[in-house]
Amino acid sequence: MRHLHFVLATLGVLTSILAAQAQIETIVIDGLFDDWTAIDGIEDAISSDTPPVDLLEMKVTSDPDYFFVYLRLASDLDLTDVLYPHNLFLQIDVDMDASTGYPVREGFGSELGIDFNSLFAYTNFGPADEVNFSEIGLIPSPTVTSKEFEFALRRDVILEEGVVLFPQDSIRLLLRDVQYDDDLPDVGASFIYDFNEANDSVLDPITITKGHPSFLRVCAYNVLGNGLIHPTRQSRFERIVPAMDADVYLFSECGNTTAAQVKSLLDNWLPLDSDAGWHSTKDGDLITVTRWDHLQSWTGIPKQYPVLVNVPDSLGGPILFINSHLSCCGNDEARQDQVDEMMAWIVNNVGDLNVYTPIVYAGDLNLVGYAQQLETLLTGDIVQTQTFGQGGLPDWDETPWSDALPRQTHQPFTYTWRDDGDGNFPPGRLDFILYSDAVIEKEHAFVLETESLPEDILAPMGLMQDDTHSASDHLPVVMDFTVASLSDADGDGLNDALENGIGTNPFEADTDGDGLTDGFEVLTAGTDPLLFDTNDNDCPDGEEALQLCATCPSDLNNDGMVSVADVLFLLIQFGEVCP
C-alpha cells in the first residue's frame, strides 16, 4: 500500500487509538453503511496498478456485546465465496504481544485469524486450533458481491478449556489479502482498538404487535422441508405462526404439504370470524395463505407465485402478493433468469393489473452470489434482454421498488438464515420483502428470532426461547404496511400519492400550465407534465395537442393531405369526453 491517511507516532510506527464515540449511531449489520460515517479508521489510496484485490479502508467500533468491523475495497468481491478470486484474512492480536500467537509478519502475532475464503477461523493460544464461524459469533453483511462489508464478532466468546477470546481492553488488527499481497495497515504501521471506547448507545427494540388495526401484515417464512406438518417441529410453528398474527402468509419449502393442510392448520391455530376461514393456494413448494379470497393467480413463472388477493376497499383494495423461493446456493445463472422473467412479467403488466395495484414481493431469495439479482428485482434491470426484453423501472410511478429491510427486534442484525451446525457458513440475509412504494407505505418491519427475545416478550405471546431455530433454519420476516391514499384532490386523473412521486402538484390539475391536465399528459399524450413545451419546439403542449401550431391543422391524421381519411379519423373520436 502506498499511503496511509493516519496519525504518525514515535519510531515511524503509525498507531491509532480510536477516539471516543459518544454521538456515533448504533451499528446495524444490514449491508448499509451510513452508520459508519462518523467512525474513524485507517485508510489507503487506490493502487495505481489496480490489482484484483486492493484494500482501501478499515473501521472498528463495538458495543457492550459485539465487536464491529467495516471493510472497503477498490473492486467487488464476495466475502465468503470465490466469485472473484481473493484470499482475504482478518488477523487480530488479542493480547498486544507480537511474540505470541501466529507470526503473521514482523511485529504481529495473531491469536485469532479469520479466513473468509475458506469459511473458517483459527486460534493460536498455544497449539493452533480451527474453529467454526459460529463459535466466534461472526455475522457478516451483505451476502452478495460488494465493495463494502461489515461484520460483527461476539465479545464474550470463551473457547475450549475456558480460554477468553478477548482477554484485555486493547487489540491490534491487520487486514490482508494473501493472494495479492496487500496489507492494511502496511508494514511499519499498526491499527489498535480499545474496547474502553465502546459505543454505549442503546438499540431501540422493534415491537412485534401491530401498531394499528388498519395496518396490513405480511409474513414470509421458509419453513424448511415441510416444517408445518413435520411431526417434531409442528408444535414450534403452532406458536410462531399465530404470534405473527399476519393477514397474509407466504410459506416456502412446502413441496409435500398441501394447501388444504395449511388452511386447516391456520383455521385451528388462528381462527377467523368468517365462515370461509383462511384461503390457501399452492404452486410448487410455495403456499400463499390469506384472510381474504383470491381473485386470480398465475402459475408457470419459475420459483415465483403471484396471487391477487381481494383485500377490502377499506384497507386499500386488491393487492398482488408474489411468493418467491429462488434457486439456492451457487445457482446464480438460474436465479438471474428467474428474476429476469419476473421483472418482464411486471414491467409488461402481463397480469393485466389495474394501474396502481399495490405489489408485495417476498420470500427466500437465496441471494448469496452476485448482487445483480437484487438489483434486477428493485430496478427492473433485466440481464437476459434477448430472452426477456429490455425491462424497465417496476413501480407505477416509474421508480424502483423499495426494500423493507426488516431488522431483528432486539439485535442489530438483519440476517434471516442461521444454522450453526451447517458447516461454517455464517448467518446471512436470504429472506426479503420488496414492495411498490408508489402506493404502499411501510409502517415497520422486523425479523423474529425468539432466541434473542427477553422473557417478558416471549411469555405474553406464548413463545419459547428456542422456537425459531428449532422450527427452521430460516426466520420469519414481517412487514406492516398501509396502502397510500388513492384520492385525487385536483381531479386530473392521477392520485395524490403518484403526483407526489413524480413531482407534479396534487392540488393543481395542470402543473406546468400548458393547457393539458397532468393526467392527460402522463396517461394519454405521453408529454411531460412538468414541462410547458416537452419537445422544445416553441409550441406549448396544449396548443400542439390541438394542432394550433401546425401548418395544416385540418390534416388530423398527419398524412400530409386533407382528405376523407381525416373525416373518418374525426368520426372515430367523436363523442369522447375531453379532459
Side-chain angles (χ1 to χ4, degrees):
M1 296 217 165
R2 265 50 61 183
H3 178 65
L4 287 173
H5 305 287
F6 217 35
V7 179
L8 183 62
T10 59
L11 302 177
V13 176
L14 295 171
T15 306
S16 172
I17 304 295
L18 297 186
Q21 301 167 354
Q23 302 302 316
I24 290 174
E25 293 183 58
T26 301
I27 296 296
V28 177
I29 304 299
D30 56 6
L32 304 178
F33 308 104
D34 291 347
D35 45 1
W36 286 94
T37 302
I39 297 174
D40 294 326
I42 183 169
E43 192 172 352
D44 185 29
I46 296 177
S47 174
S48 59
D49 54 0
T50 61
V53 176
D54 190 4
L55 309 176
L56 299 183
E57 188 174 14
M58 175 167 55
K59 298 182 177 185
V60 178
T61 187
S62 64
D63 66 19
D65 300 314
Y66 293 95
F67 167 50
F68 302 104
V69 180
Y70 164 84
L71 312 176
R72 181 168 62 88
L73 304 100
S75 55
D76 282 353
L77 59 77
D78 189 344
L79 192 62
T80 55
D81 205 337
V82 288
L83 293 174
Y84 300 106
H86 74 87
N87 200 356
L88 193 64
F89 282 78
L90 179 68
Q91 304 286 358
I92 304 178
D93 181 355
V94 303
D95 62 4
M96 298 286 288
D97 185 346
S99 67
T100 62
Y102 180 76
V104 177
R105 71 182 189 190
E106 185 177 355
F108 197 106
S110 172
E111 283 78 29
L112 175 63
I114 300 173
D115 183 347
F116 294 102
N117 188 346
S118 300
L119 297 174
F120 74 86
Y122 64 84
T123 58
N124 276 275
F125 296 91
D129 186 25
E130 184 175 316
V131 296
N132 290 339
F133 283 168
S134 61
E135 294 179 72
I136 59 174
L138 177 70
I139 300 172
S141 184
T143 60
V144 295
T145 51
S146 177
K147 293 182 178 67
E148 297 178 278
F149 296 92
E150 57 186 350
F151 60 86
L153 296 168
R154 289 202 330 270
R155 288 184 56 181
D156 62 352
V157 173
I158 299 178
L159 303 169
E160 290 184 3
E161 301 181 359
V163 175
V164 176
L165 183 58
F166 297 111
Q168 58 189 51
D169 291 338
S170 296
I171 58 174
R172 195 189 325 266
L173 299 97
L174 171 64
L175 182 65
R176 65 175 1 198
D177 185 84
V178 178
Q179 185 170 352
Y180 296 102
D181 193 27
D182 195 8
D183 283 6
L184 182 65
D186 276 333
V187 174
S190 182
F191 187 52
I192 298 172
Y193 178 73
D194 189 337
F195 285 114
N196 289 316
E197 307 300 340
N199 184 1
D200 59 1
S201 60
V202 178
L203 182 74
D204 291 331
I206 300 174
T207 58
I208 295 175
T209 55
K210 286 183 186 178
H212 194 273
S214 65
F215 292 173
L216 292 162
R217 172 168 288 190
V218 58
C219 172
Y221 199 0
N222 180 325
V223 298
L224 180 63
N226 303 288
L228 293 172
I229 59 172
H230 192 278
T232 61
R233 292 187 285 131
Q234 187 182 71
S235 61
R236 306 289 186 173
F237 293 105
E238 188 173 359
R239 288 188 289 270
I240 295 168
V241 171
M244 295 300 89
D245 192 23
D247 302 299
V248 174
Y249 290 92
L250 306 176
F251 295 119
S252 58
E253 284 206 30
C254 300
N256 294 323
T257 308
T258 68
Q261 284 176 308
V262 178
K263 169 182 165 50
S264 177
L265 291 174
L266 264 71
D267 284 340
N268 182 43
W269 295 347
L270 194 59
L272 303 179
D273 292 336
S274 66
D275 293 337
W278 288 87
H279 300 264
S280 182
T281 184
K282 179 181 180 181
D283 183 36
D285 75 310
L286 303 170
I287 294 182
T288 297
V289 194
T290 68
R291 290 181 180 270
W292 307 285
D293 62 299
H294 305 157
L295 296 173
Q296 192 171 355
S297 62
W298 294 263
T299 59
I301 305 172
K303 311 290 284 185
Q304 296 151 113
Y305 185 31
V307 177
L308 185 63
V309 179
N310 192 21
V311 176
D313 289 341
S314 60
L315 296 175
I319 298 175
L320 184 72
F321 291 92
I322 304 174
N323 194 350
S324 178
H325 185 198
L326 302 180
S327 291
C328 182
C329 313
N331 295 323
D332 274 280
E333 185 175 345
R335 277 196 301 276
Q336 189 62 56
D337 283 347
Q338 290 155 15
V339 298
D340 280 353
E341 185 168 350
M342 186 76 255
M343 282 298 99
W345 192 90
I346 290 291
V347 170
N348 296 314
N349 197 11
V350 175
D352 196 25
L353 302 173
N354 290 334
V355 178
Y356 312 130
T357 297
I359 302 173
V360 175
Y361 179 100
D364 174 10
L365 306 190
N366 276 313
L367 299 184
V368 292
Y370 293 107
Q372 178 61 45
Q373 293 141 34
L374 181 58
E375 181 73 10
T376 295
L377 286 170
L378 290 172
T379 68
D381 179 22
I382 289 175
V383 172
Q384 300 294 339
T385 54
Q386 290 185 336
T387 302
F388 301 108
Q390 291 301 314
L393 292 165
D395 215 339
W396 298 110
D397 58 354
E398 297 186 354
T399 62
W401 281 352
S402 283
D403 182 353
L405 198 63
R407 195 202 82 203
Q408 292 189 21
T409 58
H410 289 71
Q411 291 200 108
F413 305 119
T414 57
Y415 68 78
T416 67
W417 177 89
R418 179 173 183 166
D419 187 349
D420 293 344
D422 184 19
N424 276 331
F425 285 102
R429 184 182 178 220
L430 304 186
D431 305 82
F432 289 70
I433 300 177
L434 313 178
Y435 62 96
S436 56
D437 63 1
V439 286
I440 286 178
E441 296 284 349
K442 184 190 83 170
E443 301 299 338
H444 82 306
F446 65 88
V447 180
L448 180 74
E449 184 179 50
T450 55
E451 285 71 8
S452 63
L453 296 183
E455 183 60 31
D456 63 342
I457 300 293
L458 291 167
M461 305 191 74
L463 293 168
M464 297 177 65
Q465 195 86 57
D466 61 345
D467 269 345
T468 49
H469 286 302
S470 297
S472 174
D473 53 355
H474 288 257
L475 302 171
V477 294
V478 173
M479 180 177 75
D480 289 347
F481 66 97
T482 55
V483 175
S485 170
L486 298 181
S487 61
D488 181 8
D490 55 13
D492 63 359
L494 301 179
N495 71 68
D496 298 343
L498 180 59
E499 292 215 59
N500 286 325
I502 65 176
T504 54
N505 187 341
F507 304 104
E508 178 62 55
D510 182 9
T511 297
D512 57 12
D514 61 3
L516 300 177
T517 66
D518 298 337
F520 183 80
E521 292 204 68
V522 170
L523 302 175
T524 303
T527 50
D528 191 331
L530 298 174
L531 294 177
F532 185 76
D533 179 11
T534 297
N535 59 8
D536 196 27
N537 66 348
D538 296 325
C539 181
D541 293 343
E543 294 184 22
E544 192 160 1
L546 296 174
Q547 295 201 348
L548 298 181
C549 302
T551 56
C552 186
S554 300
D555 181 15
L556 301 180
N557 61 0
N558 296 311
D559 64 355
M561 61 183 296
V562 179
S563 66
V564 174
D566 295 300
V567 178
L568 294 175
F569 181 84
L570 176 62
L571 290 175
I572 291 171
Q573 308 297 323
F574 191 80
E576 288 195 6
V577 178
C578 298

